[in-house]
Amino acid sequence: MEQKKNKRQLWKRIGIGIAVGCLSVILLLGIVVYAVWHNEIFTIASMELVRERNDAHFDGAVYTMHVKGGFYLEDFIAQGGVKSDAELIEFVTAKITKGLLDMGISESEIACSSFTAKSESGDVLFARNYDFAKTNTCIVFTEANEGRHATISTVDLQFLGIDVDKNLDGLMNKITCLASTYTPLDGINDAGVSCGIYMTYQGGETTIPTNQDTGRPDFTSTTLLRLILDYADNVEEAIEIASSYDLHDSAKTSYHYMVADASGKSAILEWVAGTDATDNDGAKRELKVIYNDTDSYVDTMQLSPNYQIITNFIVYPGYYDNSPEDEKKGYDRYEKIYEELSGTNGIVKDEWAAMDILRIVGRRNWDNDDDNGCTVHSVVYNLAKKTMTWVSNENFDDPSAVFTFGFED
């Protein structure tokens, strides 16, 4: 009897030892996972659905995400950036998932309208329509750290391969959203610098991406915008950043940018070589900067200290010489915005007055010259107050579709 009792006690001790061992392994694995991915865990946990989808109105779901940590941007810069979306995917996959999970970035063709203006109180406003197709959207917040600005930006999640017809479901989709820091379309930083990216259709019948090769470090379109938001204190610093890199356009298309700061200075950044008829070698393109108030040689529609306008055509002087008028994609929207701003010399009452101009040239009110189906979002950044007023898919009169964020929130 005593022998049986001893055996039972022995097995009990063995069982306890195994349980303790298993718990220790689990705890150790937990510690390792936390040590390696704690920023990513906090970031994923921060994701919040702030507006449900409405498929009948072509509204995708809207999310917010607060990014913890530096999302490896210093490593990205240190390696000299990337030359293509494929290299960007490789970098993000290696850093964020440590190579354990695949991530993707998709191709697209987008049309947009944007302008700067001043409010009656003197605040500089940066307004933007993002025209494309039904999609899920994420408003992404990043922290100020290591000499970098805090930022707020908007990301189209279909660029990351997220299904446009479903809400985010499953851990893998949320992990994929971690790459959204590298794919902003527009944004603002806590220095009051705002920037947006817009398609330009350069190269004639077949759009040819900018693909510089001067030996400078390399950046793709959206990652250059990320760099401007994180490091630029003003327009001139944004231009200095753009001048320091070889640009390789994302998604097999061509882009230009508009950047503005709280002083009222703004600039359009374009990469061109020759005229529209000859601009068919992306490697030969050079950065051209068109300021809002100091370049007497540009179109007078661009010359005002109070406003500047951008859509989808190149504004650099002479680019469309000997080209048919229909090569200027988005010129109709450009003229309409100019009509709205020039009468008041770029002074609008407030953010909602700027939003009303975006409403006029949105998908539902304008006979647009492209195939994009909806205005995914409209946003007005106040560069003085460092806030954003953001509206989902032209739902201007629906309070549940209107969001206001700032860096003090």
Side-chain angles (χ1 to χ4, degrees), residues 11 35 40 88 113 176 218 259 304 336 343-344 360 371 391 407:
W11 282 111
E40 289 80 3
L88 176 59
S113 304
T176 299
D218 302 291
V259 60
S304 171
K336 184 59 179 176
T344 61
I360 292 171
D371 296 327
V391 179
F407 293 100

Side-chain angles (χ1 to χ4, degrees), residues 38-49 64-66 171 174 178:
H38 61 281
N39 284 334
E40 289 80 3
I41 291 169
F42 279 117
T43 300
I44 290 172
S46 78
M47 291 194 70
E48 180 181 358
L49 174 65
T64 58
M65 182 173 75
H66 293 258
L171 180 60
K174 291 186 177 182
L178 294 172

Side-chain angles (χ1 to χ4, degrees), residues 138-189:
C138 192
I139 300 171
V140 178
F141 302 78
T142 66
E143 300 177 324
N145 58 65
E146 300 179 22
R148 288 160 52 187
H149 293 294
T151 75
I152 311 173
S153 61
T154 308
V155 175
D156 180 343
L157 292 180
Q158 68 183 301
F159 286 172
L160 304 179
I162 302 297
D163 191 338
V164 300
D165 294 316
K166 297 179 181 178
N167 285 12
L168 287 175
D169 56 350
L171 180 60
M172 186 59 220
N173 276 338
K174 291 186 177 182
I175 291 173
T176 299
C177 288
L178 294 172
S180 61
T181 50
Y182 288 92
T183 58
L185 297 169
D186 53 67
I188 186 173
N189 69 21

Side-chain angles (χ1 to χ4, degrees), residues 37-180:
W37 283 295
H38 61 281
N39 284 334
E40 289 80 3
I41 291 169
F42 279 117
T43 300
I44 290 172
S46 78
M47 291 194 70
E48 180 181 358
L49 174 65
V50 294
R51 179 170 170 81
E52 281 284 1
R53 64 190 311 103
N54 179 359
D55 293 311
H57 194 255
F58 302 108
D59 298 352
V62 181
Y63 296 85
T64 58
M65 182 173 75
H66 293 258
V67 179
K68 184 73 173 176
F71 54 90
Y72 310 102
L73 187 59
E74 286 81 9
D75 293 343
F76 187 76
I77 295 170
Q79 75 168 31
V82 295
K83 293 183 178 180
S84 66
D85 289 342
E87 289 185 7
L88 176 59
I89 294 167
E90 183 179 348
F91 172 83
V92 171
T93 300
K95 289 295 183 179
I96 293 179
T97 75
K98 314 307 177 188
L100 298 177
L101 297 171
D102 291 331
M103 306 176 81
I105 296 175
S106 303
E107 298 176 3
S108 64
E109 293 189 4
I110 57 179
C112 306
S113 304
S114 201
F115 62 89
T116 59
K118 285 187 177 180
S119 70
E120 290 181 351
S121 63
D123 294 348
V124 178
L125 308 176
F126 187 109
R128 193 261 174 86
N129 271 350
Y130 171 56
D131 303 326
F132 190 29
K134 183 181 72 174
T135 184
N136 295 313
T137 302
C138 192
I139 300 171
V140 178
F141 302 78
T142 66
E143 300 177 324
N145 58 65
E146 300 179 22
R148 288 160 52 187
H149 293 294
T151 75
I152 311 173
S153 61
T154 308
V155 175
D156 180 343
L157 292 180
Q158 68 183 301
F159 286 172
L160 304 179
I162 302 297
D163 191 338
V164 300
D165 294 316
K166 297 179 181 178
N167 285 12
L168 287 175
D169 56 350
L171 180 60
M172 186 59 220
N173 276 338
K174 291 186 177 182
I175 291 173
T176 299
C177 288
L178 294 172
S180 61

